[in-house]
Amino acid sequence: MRLSLETREVGHVIIVRCKGRIVAGSECDSLRSHVTWLLRDRRAIVLHLGEVEFIDSCGLGTIVRSLTRTRKAHGDLKLCKVPEIVRKVLAMSHLADVFDTHESEEGAVRAFYGKYLKLEAPELSGRSILCLEPNPDVLSFLRAMLRSAGYDVQTTAHLKDALLLSRITKFDAIVRGPDSDANADVAFQSACVSVPVIKLSRDFSLLDAGEAGAGVLQQIKSRLNTQSA
């Protein structure tokens, strides 16, 4: 099976789910190029290897080079859900201790938050905001706008990932779009019961960007001021 890469954002961390074979040729080129592309503005990367069927010497070398490149960029690359076939390759090649490996995505994300929370330079002194929105364009707009306003912004498109983040870090406010998973939403609301939530209207993406953005900023300011009072 050819290698496919599924990428998603979990706060300050990027998870890359690898599926198929990591072998010489286009597969190695694809993984190497993808990590290089992520390093444009990211420093915390997790490779989920749970669905990797085979890895050759070139494939392992590509992962080692990706780790080296990430650390040279003052970041780190961790592995999670490493299958037995890859564990054996790492052990036989004496590379098992080179990588920081974890049993789950949450374990890998938690490790970043424990040691490398400041990876996403520049450091912001503003209050911490979580944005949960399935539309990637709206999410990018919110991220850029709130960072420009001085907030420390973390984003994700998935409710379950927002729940994961709520277990390992604290937020001063949450901006969220339409609900997606009722069961996960109950758990998320319970975890964030004391955090002010600003819900976007279902037509938010269609509104005038300036007015819509100003409205969100005003709501955040108002809710945070009320919370501090």
Side-chain angles (χ1 to χ4, degrees), residues 73-85:
H74 307 291
D76 202 7
L77 181 147
K78 302 181 187 298
L79 308 180
C80 77
K81 302 291 287 186
V82 180
E84 186 60 28
I85 188 172

Side-chain angles (χ1 to χ4, degrees), residues 6-163:
E6 178 185 304
T7 303
R8 74 182 200 276
E9 183 177 41
V10 184
H12 291 309
V13 181
I14 291 291
I15 297 178
V16 181
R17 195 180 188 103
C18 306
K19 183 175 182 180
R21 296 159 56 90
I22 305 179
V23 295
S26 61
E27 281 75 15
C28 282
D29 293 341
S30 176
L31 179 57
R32 189 183 309 111
S33 297
H34 192 60
V35 171
T36 299
W37 179 77
L38 290 174
L39 288 175
R40 295 178 309 164
D41 59 358
R42 296 292 173 164
R43 298 294 181 269
I45 301 173
V46 175
L47 295 185
H48 183 302
L49 302 181
E51 296 175 274
V52 171
E53 301 173 350
F54 178 78
I55 185 169
D56 64 10
S57 297
C58 184
L60 187 54
T62 294
I63 295 178
V64 171
R65 288 179 63 191
S66 296
L67 172 66
T68 301
R69 178 169 294 185
T70 304
R71 287 181 175 171
K72 282 185 177 180
H74 307 291
D76 202 7
L77 181 147
K78 302 181 187 298
L79 308 180
C80 77
K81 302 291 287 186
V82 180
E84 186 60 28
I85 188 172
V86 177
R87 288 184 185 275
K88 288 181 178 179
V89 170
L90 291 173
M92 293 175 66
S93 56
H94 302 284
L95 291 174
D97 293 335
V98 171
F99 295 97
D100 183 13
T101 62
H102 297 267
E103 294 299 319
S104 66
E105 291 182 347
E106 179 165 346
V109 173
R110 187 181 293 274
F112 270 118
Y113 274 75
K115 295 178 64 177
Y116 300 107
L117 185 59
K118 301 302 183 183
L119 279 173
E120 282 222 344
E123 180 177 346
L124 297 173
S125 59
R127 303 181 76 174
S128 179
I129 309 293
L130 172 64
C131 291
L132 168 60
E133 165 58 51
N135 185 314
D137 294 325
V138 172
L139 200 60
S140 294
F141 167 60
L142 291 170
R143 183 193 302 118
M145 176 186 68
L146 293 174
R147 284 182 178 168
S148 294
Y151 292 107
D152 176 14
V153 186
Q154 299 185 50
T155 59
T156 183
H158 304 280
L159 186 54
K160 290 184 177 180
D161 288 336
L163 179 58

Side-chain angles (χ1 to χ4, degrees), residues 179-227:
D179 299 339
S180 56
D181 184 330
N183 293 327
D185 194 32
V186 171
F188 181 62
Q189 289 184 30
S190 176
C192 303
V193 65
S194 61
V195 182
V197 177
I198 293 87
K199 288 191 176 182
L200 304 179
S201 63
R202 292 193 175 275
D203 63 346
F204 181 84
S205 62
L206 305 177
L207 300 176
D208 175 88
E211 293 180 2
V216 170
L217 288 171
Q218 181 57 43
Q219 288 187 69
I220 292 174
K221 182 178 181 180
S222 175
R223 297 294 295 278
L224 290 179
N225 286 342
T226 300
Q227 187 182 41

